[in-house]
Amino acid sequence: MAHKFEIYKDKAGEFRVRFKYNSETIFSTEGYASKASAKNAIESIKKNGPAAPTEDTTAETA
């Protein structure tokens, strides 16, 4: 599979989620105290991500 979510523990002992595509980390989340909270973050991304708008904050001039 080219893409996946990974749950891992950081150096502080918190659970984090990272999204990988072709073995490259695209983003990672904040730390969570429990693995259940990390799993909830994944479900929230899956549910809300497809409808999220794209915001372009660059100031391009033509």
Side-chain angles (χ1 to χ4, degrees):
M1 185 176 293
H3 53 279
K4 64 182 174 181
F5 288 98
E6 288 183 346
I7 298 173
Y8 66 100
K9 269 193 170 181
D10 64 14
K11 291 179 182 179
E14 293 184 314
F15 294 93
R16 292 182 180 263
V17 175
R18 62 182 153 221
F19 181 77
K20 288 187 150 189
Y21 182 77
N22 288 337
S23 301
E24 182 179 343
T25 300
I26 305 301
F27 68 83
S28 59
T29 65
E30 64 185 278
Y32 296 99
S34 70
K35 188 184 286 189
S37 293
K39 288 181 178 182
N40 285 339
I42 292 170
E43 292 309 312
S44 177
I45 293 165
K46 287 180 177 180
K47 177 183 175 186
N48 300 306
T54 299
E55 182 177 335
D56 185 350
T57 61
T58 61
E60 290 186 29
T61 56

